[in-house]
Each structure stands twice: as structure tokens, then as C-alpha cells.
């Protein structure tokens, strides 16, 4: 993936999830090591507020009218609350105005858990609010997945096949 090709194959997405899993593991280890110092009410509040504001309203809207698109405001709320930037600002403000504390680990535990365990990240407006494969992505996977690309080897030079040019497209060989 790069700035001109903002998509992920199954392998590159799995590698991203592995990185997020590492961050989740570090956060969980710190939480376990400092479990007696965590104010658990604050931890639960910080863990829950992300979904109470950012996910639940959009999920309700999605289920209430499954035949209609979810309004963009729900996507904005989801993306705002599931942003590492928002979590950093919230943690910084909490540390400044309340106090620095181990309960703030709820923020990276929630966000990295969503990313690493469930594969959820920020939501683009053009996809369903709840996970479902879009037809456009299904076509992408057919073309660039392990069984895709009937024009030659997926990895240039792997079988001696000539490199196939995709110049003029918005995709690169994986």
C-alpha cells in the first residue's frame, strides 16, 4: 500500500493486524503489571465511551433501516471516537486536568483490540456501517488475491514470467 494505492491485500492487512496486536499486547502487559493501581471504574468508562458515542448509535441506525444508507454523521462519530489522535487528546487532557493514571490504558486496549482482533479500523463513507464485502472490493480481491490475476505471475520473476505493466491504473502488483 502506498499514497496512490490505498488498499490492502489479505497478507498486508494481516501484517498490519500483527503490528496492532503487538501494541495491544504491550498495553495488556502494562495493565496486568499495574492492575492494583488501576481505577477500574475509570478504566471501564474510558473503554466504553469509545463505543457508546462512536459505534452504538450508528449500529442502531444501521439495524433500524437496513435498506437505507447510514447518515454520514454516524461515520464521523465512529471515526472520531476510534481515532488514535482522539485517544491521545483525551488521554492528554485527562492527565492534565484529572491526573496521569494507568486506567488510560483502556484507550489503546480498546482501539488496538478493535484493530488486531476484529480487523476494524476507520470507516469510509462508501461502505456499509457494519462489515460486509462491497462488490468493488470483491473484484479487487479476485484480481489481486492469491487466485487472481490471470495475466501472469503475481510476483514478477517468481516463475520467470515477464512483468505485466499496469501503468495507468491505480493498483500495483503484490
Amino acid at each position: 500500500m502506498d499514497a496512490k494505492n490505498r488498499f490492502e491485500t489479505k497478507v498486508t492487512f494481516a501484517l498490519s493486524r500483527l503490528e496492532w496486536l503487538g501494541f495491544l499486547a504491550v498495553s495488556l502487559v502494562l495493565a496486568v503489571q499495574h492492575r492494583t493501581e488501576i481505577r477500574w471504574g475509570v478504566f471501564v468508562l474510558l473503554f466504553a465511551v469509545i463505543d457508546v458515542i462512536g459505534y452504538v448509535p450508528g449500529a442502531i441506525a444501521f439495524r433500524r433501516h437496513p435498506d437505507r444508507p447510514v447518515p454520514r454523521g454516524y461515520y464521523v462519530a465512529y471515526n472520531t471516537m476510534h481515532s488514535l489522535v482522539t485517544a491521545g487528546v483525551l488521554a492528554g487532557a485527562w492527565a492534565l486536568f484529572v491526573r496521569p493514571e494507568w486506567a488510560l490504558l483502556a484507550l489503546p486496549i480498546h482501539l488496538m483490540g478493535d484493530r488486531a482482533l476484529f480487523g476494524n479500523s476507520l470507516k469510509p463513507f462508501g461502505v456499509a456501517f457494519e462489515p460486509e464485502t462491497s462488490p468493488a472490493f470483491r473484484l479487487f480481491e479476485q484480481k489481486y488475491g492469491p487466485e487472481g490475476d490471470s495475466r501472469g505471475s503475481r510476483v514478477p520473476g517468481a516463475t520467470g514470467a515477464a512483468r505485466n505493466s499496469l501503468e495507468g491504473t491505480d493498483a500495483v502488483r503484490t
Side-chain angles (χ1 to χ4, degrees):
M1 179 165 70
D2 57 44
K4 297 217 181 245
N5 304 287
R6 296 172 306 275
F7 55 80
E8 304 252 8
T9 64
K10 286 183 180 186
V11 172
T12 57
F13 187 61
L15 292 172
S16 292
R17 288 180 74 178
L18 190 59
E19 289 182 352
W20 298 327
L21 184 62
F23 190 7
L24 174 61
V26 168
S27 300
L28 287 170
V29 166
L30 287 170
V32 168
Q33 287 176 335
H34 296 280
R35 66 188 172 277
T36 60
E37 301 167 62
I38 292 176
R39 291 193 303 155
W40 288 101
V42 172
F43 183 98
V44 169
L45 173 73
L46 291 170
F47 190 92
V49 74
I50 294 169
D51 282 342
V52 168
I53 295 172
Y55 170 70
V56 172
I60 291 169
F62 179 84
R63 285 169 181 74
R64 207 175 260 168
H65 302 286
D67 54 329
R68 295 195 317 223
V70 172
R72 286 181 171 222
Y74 293 110
Y75 287 82
V76 172
Y78 181 93
N79 290 340
T80 300
M81 294 307 296
H82 286 82
S83 165
L84 292 170
V85 172
T86 302
V89 168
L90 180 58
W94 189 278
L96 184 64
F97 296 113
V98 179
R99 69 179 194 198
E101 60 181 302
W102 291 109
L104 293 168
L105 284 169
L107 300 170
I109 288 171
H110 183 126
L111 297 178
M112 293 302 104
D114 277 358
R115 286 166 169 76
L117 304 176
F118 303 115
N120 295 333
S121 189
L122 304 180
K123 294 183 183 291
F125 292 132
V127 300
F129 192 83
E130 291 289 359
E132 61 184 47
T133 304
S134 76
F137 190 76
R138 188 170 289 116
L139 288 173
F140 162 77
E141 280 193 316
Q142 289 171 352
K143 182 161 180 75
Y144 294 97
E147 307 302 320
D149 194 7
S150 60
R151 297 188 301 166
S153 170
R154 289 188 318 110
V155 180
T159 61
R163 181 175 179 167
N164 295 310
S165 173
L166 293 176
E167 189 171 336
T169 66
D170 287 333
V172 295
R173 286 244 173 277
T174 56

